[in-house]
Amino acid sequence: MKETEEPTSLNGLEEKPDDPSKAGFSSDSSSADNQYLKLRKLLLGDDYSSALNRYISKEEDAERVSKVLPEAVKQSAQENSSLGEALAPVVDKAIANSIVENPNRITNIIFPIMGPAIRKAVAYALSEMVQSLNTLLEQSLTFRSLNWRIRAWRSGMPYAQYVLLQTIQFRVEQVLLVHRETGLLLHSVSASAVQTQDPELVSSMLTAITDFVNDSFSSAEDTLERIRFGHLEIHLMVGPQAILAVAVRGTIPDELTEKANATIETIHARYRSQLSLFEGDREPFESTHPILSECLISKKVIEKSKRKPWLAIIVLLMGFSFLVKQQFERYQYGLLCEEIEQSIRQEPGYVVIAINKDKDSLALEVLRSPISRSADSVRLGLVKDKVALTIKDTVVHFGPLPTVAGVPEIREIEKLQALIDKLQRTTFYFDSDSVALSETELEKIPGFIDDLRQLQTLYAELALSELQIMIMGFADKSGTTIGNMSVSQQRAETISAILTKNDVSSDIIVAWGIGHIDHSYISKKTQRRVTVQVLPKLTSNNRIGLDQGGLLWEK
Amino acid sequence: MGKVIAKKVCMVGPFAVGKTSLVNRFVKSIFSDKYLTTIGVKISKKQIDVNDDKIQLMIWDIEGVDVFTELKPSFLRGASGVLLVLDGTRLKSLDVAIELQRVLSQQLPGVPIIGLLNKSDLTYEWKLGDSELRELEKLGITTIMTSAKTGSNVEAAFDSLVNAMGLGPEGV
Ligand SMILES: Nc1nc2c(ncn2[C@@H]2O[C@H](COP(=O)(O)OP(=O)(O)O)[C@@H](O)[C@H]2O)c(=O)[nH]1
Ligand SMILES: [Mg+2]
């Protein structure tokens, strides 16, 4: 009880004495006492009553000190640190006592502060990890990563972050705020069009499960963080007074965990008293709706099956059209070469004896009569940009051009033509690696010499220039080029030797080794041969054309 | 007016006295039996209307044989009321009740307890007489005779618990 008001000491002399019970005196009010009191008042003056009170009332002391204590502490702290030093052990002990007595209290207080600090530290560590992940990813260059790189660049975010986003797929279906002690639901939100369980039952169940796990594994500090069944995962953010349960379908991104942690901290900070006073009435927690709704996030992976691999298609098309173009060019080049070849063959006085077709060059070897056009002028007439044409020519003396002395009889000429044809159709075949004629081939010799003699006679009758025949040897494709050259030369010489042995003048014989020039579709046996050309080629106006029928490489 | 008030209540009692049967009788919807057996708890929800308010009872039913080892603090924590279920056909029920009451008053000081003497339909086997009932009353436990089989007094049992929790029609 508070005591009666302190007497105003200014006019204390006239004042009646205080209630004796309060003053601690208990005597009957007598005049002697009054006198004594007056004397005391005179001696002690104005301070009498307060001094009196000071002695008799501790409660008064406490009240007075309590009034000046804050100010005194403030002043002392400003002057020096001695008060702090003096108080430190006391405060330490008080805090220690408080924690021992009720650990929850301190947890409740520091939870909203510690949470963000710890998360910051963890986030820092994580970001460092992501950095190294970033460099790792940067080294891999696939078509998809290239595509993502471009998209990340366009959306202005680090590549690693973009990759993480692309690979994460999730949807928060339900968020529950649960009172930790009772397991009762405080508030819940759920994503639209999601089939959810009765949130009130779920929240009790979650509490029961968490308790069960805690009891079973007797872990006082650790709490259950995740419950997973199938693709649904429930994340529990356990605060001292409330639990935030986030039901997620899919892979949970760090972003969400952070968000949920921040949410439960915010709720603890804002609803501290409501949480501790909770008696089953959920109304005060309806205002958590917006914060809880912020956790309802989702992310879908871009449908990639529907997309056409355009880049791949373009690359393929380009490759294909390049091939087509190349093939076409090669084809055209082939045509061009053939054209050139044809016109050289048709050049009067030219005999093509070898063709060397290359990727971009065409080399021909020809024999030509002295009066024919020079190889250079023929070449210049034919030259095309795309083909590097070279003509290696050998001038062969065919004797004087036929000077027509009188018109030969038509019959004679036809006979001449027939003889030339017959001779030129004669082909001698050789065995593999052999330069000698076999018995059967030798049988062709008498008829051949006979025909040749007839031709010589006709030439003389018709007063044509002297006859010349060219013996050409060929080799099959087995063996080296040089080897083939010499074999074919020897084969030609074999025939020429037989002819000279049979009194054919060596002056009219030219033996020539051609080597191997045939197409592969010609049988090897046929490739090993010697053919004959009758020279000179007669101009077309006397109708004696010298065709190349004896040359198999002509079709 | 029109408030929804959620409360956690617990079913406590020995094995096979009829706790689950009582809850089943009282509550129509039952949340996945199978799942919860694993963790030793079955939770059901029942909403009852009292005046204008709705009382949402989350009923925690313990699953298990040995009530004493399984009566964990986490099961009782935060409960606003307890139904202590006994089997009226077993005389030993009284001893169990006394022991349970001791545990409950430690863990849930000041939380009302209603004693249910279940299986009242088995009259010819009934063992608990007036003297036993008086013992229970001495411990501060109001008792009600119930039968999960016939349904007799089941609603009344939960109503009286809600009343004892201070939420009844005549409540505060
Ligand atoms: N006759 C009768 N049997 C009951 C009653 N209540 C429960 N039972 C039976 O007692 C057994 C145990 O019941 P249960 O509810 O599982 O007990 P709990 O272990 O306490 O949950 C079951 O066979 C029930 O059919 C009742 O009121 N009367
Ligand atoms: Mg049961």
Side-chain angles (χ1 to χ4, degrees), chain A residues 111-132:
Chain A
F111 177 75
I113 309 161
M114 292 300 285
I118 293 167
R119 267 185 303 114
K120 241 174 233 159
V122 172
Y124 177 73
L126 265 176
S127 79
E128 272 191 326
M129 197 192 77
V130 168
Q131 279 304 311
S132 60

Side-chain angles (χ1 to χ4, degrees), chain A residues 187-214:
Chain A
H187 196 73
S188 76
V189 293
S190 57
S192 53
V194 167
Q195 199 88 37
T196 51
Q197 293 281 5
D198 182 340
E200 281 124 24
L201 273 173
V202 170
S203 66
S204 289
M205 278 315 310
L206 286 174
T207 321
I209 292 167
T210 339
D211 290 342
F212 168 74
V213 172
N214 280 4

Side-chain angles (χ1 to χ4, degrees), chain B:
Chain B
M1 53 143 262
K3 267 203 278 187
V4 178
I5 297 189
K7 291 286 179 189
K8 171 178 175 177
V9 297
C10 293
M11 307 295 291
V12 174
F15 178 58
V17 293
K19 300 182 295 294
T20 308
S21 305
L22 284 165
V23 176
N24 288 355
R25 180 56 94 157
F26 182 58
V27 180
K28 270 121 219 162
S29 77
I30 286 154
F31 187 63
S32 172
D33 275 334
K34 207 167 89 193
Y35 191 72
L36 308 175
T37 2
T38 359
I39 63 158
V41 166
K42 176 141 71 180
I43 297 166
S44 320
K45 184 175 88 168
K46 169 84 176 179
Q47 189 157 298
I48 50 178
D49 294 347
V50 177
N51 300 336
D52 277 348
D53 296 341
K54 290 183 194 320
I55 312 290
Q56 205 172 67
L57 293 180
M58 304 306 303
I59 307 164
W60 291 46
D61 176 17
I62 203 161
E63 284 282 338
V65 179
D66 185 353
V67 67
F68 291 108
T69 56
E70 272 155 65
L71 202 60
K72 296 194 175 87
S74 59
F75 173 78
L76 294 173
R77 198 178 55 210
S80 305
V82 176
L83 288 178
L84 174 52
V85 186
L86 301 169
D87 186 340
T89 64
R90 292 187 233 166
L91 198 55
K92 254 173 69 189
S93 286
L94 185 65
D95 300 338
V96 180
I98 291 165
E99 184 53 28
L100 281 176
Q101 197 277 337
R102 205 182 53 77
V103 175
L104 290 171
S105 60
Q106 266 175 19
Q107 304 240 351
L108 295 171
V111 169
I113 304 169
I114 301 287
L116 303 187
L117 307 178
N118 194 37
K119 308 197 183 178
S120 62
D121 53 294
L122 303 174
T123 37
Y124 53 95
E125 289 178 43
W126 200 254
K127 298 276 166 35
L128 294 179
D130 281 351
S131 62
E132 282 83 18
L133 291 188
R134 250 179 274 121
E135 286 273 342
L136 288 171
E137 243 139 64
K138 257 192 253 165
L139 293 168
I141 301 173
T142 321
T143 53
I144 301 174
M145 301 234 288
T146 57
S147 169
K149 195 176 178 182
T150 64
S152 144
N153 267 346
V154 175
E155 295 245 336
F158 281 93
D159 284 346
S160 60
L161 182 64
V162 170
N163 263 328
M165 280 156 52
L167 296 167
E170 306 92 43
V172 208

Side-chain angles (χ1 to χ4, degrees), chain A residues 224-507:
Chain A
L224 184 68
E225 284 172 357
R226 291 178 185 210
I227 303 167
R228 187 175 189 109
F229 39 103
H231 288 293
L232 193 71
E233 191 164 314
I234 297 176
H235 268 229
L236 298 166
M237 317 291 151
V238 182
Q241 291 175 300
I243 301 171
L244 189 76
V246 182
V248 187
R249 201 168 288 278
T251 317
I252 297 186
D254 289 344
E255 173 199 351
L256 176 63
T257 316
E258 257 175 55
K259 173 114 209 120
N261 271 322
T263 306
I264 188 70
E265 280 157 15
T266 313
I267 287 170
H268 272 84
R270 283 196 208 160
Y271 295 86
R272 176 188 300 284
S273 61
Q274 289 95 320
L275 282 170
S276 48
L277 295 174
F278 179 67
E279 286 281 2
D281 184 1
R282 298 190 178 110
E283 218 192 305
F285 297 94
E286 259 155 41
S287 54
T288 61
H289 197 94
I291 335 178
L292 296 187
S293 300
E294 277 173 33
C295 293
L296 287 175
I297 45 182
S298 69
K299 172 83 182 69
K300 266 191 187 162
V301 165
I302 311 157
E303 292 281 338
K304 57 175 189 282
S305 55
K306 298 268 194 302
R307 301 171 68 90
K308 283 231 169 70
W310 283 116
L311 192 59
I313 289 173
I314 289 167
V315 167
L316 275 175
L317 275 177
M318 273 162 59
F320 182 70
S321 58
F322 176 75
L323 279 176
V324 166
K325 185 168 172 267
Q326 211 182 31
Q327 282 303 111
F328 182 69
E329 276 175 356
R330 197 174 290 175
Y331 171 73
Q332 277 202 320
Y333 175 77
L335 281 184
L336 202 63
C337 286
E338 222 155 278
E339 206 176 284
I340 292 170
E341 205 185 306
Q342 278 307 321
S343 36
I344 290 175
R345 282 192 197 290
Q346 271 151 32
E347 179 66 25
Y350 272 62
V351 176
V352 177
I353 55 168
I355 300 172
N356 207 339
K357 231 184 270 185
D358 208 348
K359 233 171 51 190
D360 50 5
S361 70
L362 179 65
L364 284 111
E365 266 181 64
V366 298
L367 298 176
R368 65 177 186 87
S369 68
I371 52 144
S372 59
R373 287 205 292 161
S374 80
D376 264 351
S377 67
V378 170
R379 196 177 59 84
L380 285 173
L382 290 169
V383 113
K384 303 264 162 68
D385 298 341
K386 284 181 183 164
V387 188
L389 174 67
T390 52
I391 302 173
K392 189 183 155 206
D393 62 332
T394 307
V395 179
V396 181
H397 182 72
F398 299 138
L401 277 173
T403 44
V404 181
V407 180
E409 276 180 42
I410 288 170
R411 259 196 67 242
E412 304 270 78
I413 290 171
E414 278 176 351
K415 196 179 169 195
L416 176 73
Q417 188 68 59
L419 266 175
I420 290 174
D421 283 353
K422 198 178 171 204
L423 282 169
Q424 290 190 154
R425 268 200 304 273
T426 314
T427 306
F428 302 97
Y429 296 106
F430 291 78
D431 291 334
S432 181
D433 275 339
S434 168
V435 294
L437 279 180
S438 64
E439 289 294 323
T440 46
E441 291 298 311
L442 273 171
E443 284 169 13
K444 295 177 180 171
I445 295 289
F448 182 76
I449 290 174
D450 216 35
D451 290 340
L452 191 55
R453 291 227 174 91
Q454 278 189 43
L455 188 65
Q456 274 180 303
T457 323
L458 255 174
Y459 257 62
E461 278 173 16
L462 292 168
L464 295 170
S465 63
E466 204 179 330
L467 169 74
Q468 208 172 39
I469 60 164
M470 188 158 87
I471 316 284
M472 289 179 287
F474 298 86
D476 64 21
K477 79 159 177 246
S478 54
T480 61
T481 318
I482 297 170
N484 286 341
M485 243 10 219
S486 93
V487 167
S488 61
Q489 182 66 42
Q490 284 176 51
R491 283 175 182 156
E493 277 164 8
T494 300
I495 302 298
S496 123
I498 291 171
L499 294 182
T500 45
K501 241 193 243 168
N502 287 277
D503 294 330
V504 177
S505 161
S506 63
D507 291 347

